[in-house]
Amino acid sequence: MIASTATHPAAPGTDADGVLEVRDLAKYFAKGDQDLVALREFSITVRPGQFLVLLGRSGCGKSTLLNLMAGLTRPTAGQILYRGTAMSGPSTEIGYLTQHDTLMPWRDVTRNVEMPRELRGEGKKSRRKEAQRLIELVGLKGFEHHFPRELSGGMRRRASLARMLASDPETLLLDEPFGALDAQLRTELQGELLRLWQGTGRTVVFVTHDIEEALLLADRVVVLGPVGSVLLDVDVDLNRPRDPDEVRVDSRFVALHKSLSAALKEGAR
Amino acid sequence: MNAVTTADAGAAGLGAAGPLQVQADRGFRAKHGRTTIVWAWRVGLLVALVAVWQVLSGPVLDPQYVSSPQGIWERLAGWTADGTLWTNTWITIQEIVLGFLLGAGAGAVLAYLIAPIRVVWAILDPYVMALYAIPKVALAPLFIVWFGIGTDMKVLLAAVSVFFLVFINTAAGVHQVDSALIDAVRLMNGSRRDIALKVVLPASMTGLLTGLRVSIPYALIGAVIGELVASNRGLGFLISDSSAKFDTDGVFATLLVLSIIAMVLNGLVGLIDARTSRWKPLDA
Ligand SMILES: Nc1ncnc2c1ncn2[C@@H]1O[C@H](COP(=O)(O)OP(=O)(O)O)[C@@H](O)[C@H]1O
Ligand SMILES: [Mg+2]
């Protein structure tokens, strides 16, 4: 199943170096008289078409960072450039799958998935058709008219994924998308995601706390420590497709696994 | 229970797609057994109570004070024959319905206008709560001065009780809207209008419906209290008039009619509940 979406070449006249450029980003949350520092002096450049995995333990500011990248929240300091221009709010070019499900509980699967196109003003017939295609893509055929509460956690995740894809974003931000799923389903959806990404020119920023998942998916892994400090930034030069069972015994995989694991431990101290 | 497999619903797309859905072949007992038992007991209890009441009234209970099923029945028959029952019931029903529509409409509209603006709500909140806490009976004398003793005053008394319940519950519904859902619409580049119509409105619907649900009996209470305080028509008037004449049968007969109206209204509440329960709790 290869996504029918056309490739998204870098817009002319922009900095071809990075789709997303994050410079000296900081985010504080007011907490009484004090500020809680969630993120500090964070910089990164995400290259077009790159599959970047942000790896970090919980509480290190990963979700905060993605909220900022998606334009949902404003940074306390620093800036984010998307294709060379400073972000001023959410954009349909960026799809964001948040850590927690945000399906509308009063809409069934179809009406949830078609929602981005509905808001865009697309006609009912064509948006229904596209919704149906995406629902089948994520394996929810037969559940079009189920409401979110009638679905399992994994099915809701897949419906959310379909909804995100409905706006046909060129950059995907995914916050621990498969964290709560069973291993089997996880592997399937990882494969699906790779198919959605490969050959489309899409850029992916994928957040996880799972080293193996990072190595299975990434072009590049950035290990985050407390308040978004970069502990390690490595390119993953494993050949694709990476078979989950075979790649585990690859010596480069083992070496990378070791260094990532060490970096995570380093950050914990 | 026999289960007949009709389709392996989860087979499409990725594996382990979801639960298997099968046709259930349940008999009458499995489907309706409990309901039947409950209804049988309800009817039985009522019949037993009426029978005991009838047998005891006279020898043990003084019908002057507690009436008797037979007396009530005769009074209802008499009132039905001369039209008293229907004219007065109809007046009370009109007051209830009008009061409910007026109060609920005003409450819902004002809540949607005011609740989304946090500052305004924060300013008004204590006053709303103070007004809400006033027993609505206490307003009756004032309403008589303002609106006279006609039906207007009863309608408004019912409306005021309904208004606060709908207003407060709808506002709570608006305030409880999950901000993550609003963010989801922002991510789709939705406008403020989209947020209002496609998130806040449906999300707060449970609050509004709760308000409607809990306020229905208060419409009845408001109308009847208005009639009790000052009136020459309606079921409340029938009660005060009958008791003034020491006509206990008349009082009980009217109370019976009021109970029946209350039961019908509760039935409507049940319909509202059924309407909302399918999507209401996510992860609840
Ligand atoms: N809205 C918020 N208000 C206050 N503190 C927050 C908020 N969001 C996140 N934080 C804090 O910021 C830190 C990083 O959170 P988060 O980005 O969710 O971490 P992660 O996603 O890596 O687990 C945590 O200490 C968390 O308590
Ligand atoms: Mg997180």
Side-chain angles (χ1 to χ4, degrees):
Chain A
M1 248 185 294
I2 291 179
S4 65
T5 328
T7 55
H8 298 281
T14 56
D15 188 353
D17 243 21
V19 195
L20 267 168
E21 278 205 54
V22 177
R23 292 188 193 148
D24 299 323
L25 202 65
K27 180 72 183 173
Y28 298 174
F29 291 106
K31 195 181 175 202
D33 290 342
Q34 294 180 315
D35 275 345
L36 193 144
V37 181
L39 210 60
R40 194 170 57 193
E41 290 169 17
F42 181 82
S43 298
I44 199 170
T45 301
V46 188
R47 287 187 289 277
Q50 187 171 58
F51 198 121
L52 170 70
V53 170
L54 297 172
L55 181 69
R57 301 162 63 107
S58 67
C60 69
K62 306 184 296 295
S63 299
T64 306
L65 177 59
L66 283 204
N67 282 337
L68 289 164
M69 284 180 163
L72 278 181
T73 51
R74 312 290 312 152
T76 310
Q79 63 173 341
I80 300 171
L81 303 182
Y82 185 74
R83 295 209 173 281
T85 43
M87 293 210 15
S88 59
S91 145
T92 43
E93 286 173 18
I94 303 176
Y96 181 20
L97 188 62
T98 48
Q99 187 167 7
H100 301 288
D101 289 319
T102 58
L103 294 169
M104 307 292 148
W106 49 86
R107 285 173 170 245
D108 63 16
V109 171
T110 302
R111 302 237 308 123
N112 261 298
V113 172
E114 72 178 8
M115 200 171 173
R117 283 166 182 260
E118 180 185 323
L119 295 194
R120 205 187 277 175
E122 190 171 319
K124 190 162 187 167
K125 223 171 156 187
S126 74
R127 70 180 197 234
R128 275 279 147 87
K129 204 171 141 221
E130 177 65 9
Q132 188 59 38
R133 186 185 75 82
L134 290 167
I135 287 168
E136 282 170 29
L137 182 76
V138 298
L140 282 180
K141 192 168 155 62
F143 294 90
E144 289 88 347
H145 299 298
H146 282 58
F147 286 83
R149 67 175 285 240
E150 298 168 332
L151 302 175
S152 70
M155 294 162 86
R156 285 205 285 268
R157 221 75 264 266
R158 285 185 271 163
S160 307
L161 187 64
R163 182 181 71 177
M164 182 191 73
L165 294 172
S167 56
D168 194 17
E170 59 170 353
T171 300
L172 308 182
L173 308 176
L174 305 152
D175 195 354
E176 305 192 23
F178 312 137
L181 306 183
D182 62 84
Q184 192 69 36
L185 195 55
R186 192 171 213 204
T187 310
E188 283 171 13
L189 284 175
Q190 284 168 349
E192 202 59 58
L193 178 64
L194 286 174
R195 274 190 288 279
L196 281 169
W197 163 73
Q198 258 163 349
T200 59
R202 280 182 169 129
T203 310
V204 177
V205 178
F206 186 106
V207 161
T208 183
H209 56 246
D210 183 334
I211 299 178
E212 236 165 68
E213 185 172 46
L215 288 176
L216 276 172
L217 299 173
D219 284 334
R220 173 185 173 200
V221 179
V222 170
V223 182
L224 297 180
V227 297
S229 53
V230 176
L231 299 174
L232 189 67
D233 185 346
V234 286
D235 286 330
V236 179
D237 50 358
L238 298 167
N239 299 330
R240 292 182 194 270
R242 298 170 191 163
D243 183 273
D245 297 317
E246 284 168 22
V247 80
R248 273 188 197 104
V249 293
D250 188 309
S251 62
R252 278 175 300 171
F253 179 94
V254 175
L256 280 166
H257 196 296
K258 259 193 193 138
S259 57
L260 293 181
S261 173
L264 278 178
K265 277 206 195 92
E266 174 81 17
R269 272 195 275 128
Chain B
M1 194 184 85
N2 306 316
V4 185
T5 313
T6 52
D8 43 345
L14 300 169
L20 191 62
Q21 299 183 53
V22 296
Q23 189 67 46
D25 184 16
R26 297 193 187 89
F28 178 84
R29 269 190 77 100
K31 268 195 238 165
H32 307 292
R34 212 185 129 79
T35 332
T36 316
I37 291 171
V38 168
W39 273 101
W41 272 97
R42 279 179 186 165
V43 173
L45 204 62
L46 184 67
V47 169
L49 213 72
V50 170
V52 169
W53 187 4
Q54 181 62 44
V55 168
L56 292 186
S57 83
V60 184
L61 303 169
D62 184 352
Q64 264 290 319
Y65 291 99
V66 295
S67 181
S68 71
Q70 195 192 349
I72 294 172
W73 178 254
E74 278 162 9
R75 179 53 34 90
L76 283 176
W79 277 351
T80 310
D82 67 10
T84 315
L85 185 68
W86 179 240
T87 33
N88 287 295
T89 305
W90 177 234
I91 283 162
T92 303
I93 289 177
Q94 277 178 311
E95 288 163 0
I96 293 172
V97 172
L98 276 176
F100 179 76
L101 292 179
L102 204 65
V109 168
L110 271 181
Y112 279 118
L113 288 180
I114 293 175
I117 314 166
R118 289 274 178 172
V119 191
V120 178
W121 178 260
I123 295 169
L124 295 181
D125 187 37
Y127 301 121
V128 171
M129 288 302 160
L131 290 174
Y132 167 59
I134 294 177
K136 303 304 171 292
V137 204
L139 296 176
L142 193 62
F143 277 28
I144 291 172
V145 174
W146 287 349
F147 309 109
I149 62 160
T151 36
D152 288 359
M153 165 248 182
K154 286 93 186 172
V155 168
L156 288 168
L157 210 55
V160 169
S161 317
V162 172
F163 171 83
F164 281 102
L165 287 166
V166 172
F167 182 70
I168 287 169
N169 279 289
T170 308
V174 169
H175 291 150
Q176 277 160 16
V177 174
D178 187 354
S179 63
L181 298 184
I182 293 176
D183 281 347
V185 173
R186 287 177 58 211
L187 285 171
M188 300 171 201
N189 251 12
S191 59
R192 288 177 68 94
R193 192 162 167 271
D194 289 326
I195 292 173
L197 293 181
K198 307 209 176 207
V199 183
V200 177
L201 193 64
S204 61
M205 206 46 83
T206 35
L208 172 62
L209 289 172
T210 305
L212 297 182
R213 196 162 56 85
V214 298
S215 67
I216 284 181
Y218 286 88
L220 179 132
I221 293 171
V224 172
I225 283 180
E227 289 171 351
L228 278 170
V229 172
S231 145
N232 47 18
R233 294 186 300 173
L235 293 174
F237 163 74
L238 271 191
I239 291 180
S240 59
D241 187 51
S242 305
S243 67
K245 295 182 202 152
F246 285 102
D247 176 8
T248 334
D249 290 344
V251 174
F252 274 82
T254 318
L255 288 177
L256 179 66
V257 175
L258 278 175
S259 319
I260 291 169
I261 294 177
M263 278 165 86
V264 172
L265 293 180
N266 277 328
L268 295 179
V269 169
L271 289 182
I272 291 179
D273 274 349
R275 178 82 187 73
T276 53
S277 59
R278 193 160 177 220
W279 52 258
K280 207 161 58 182
L282 182 67
D283 298 332

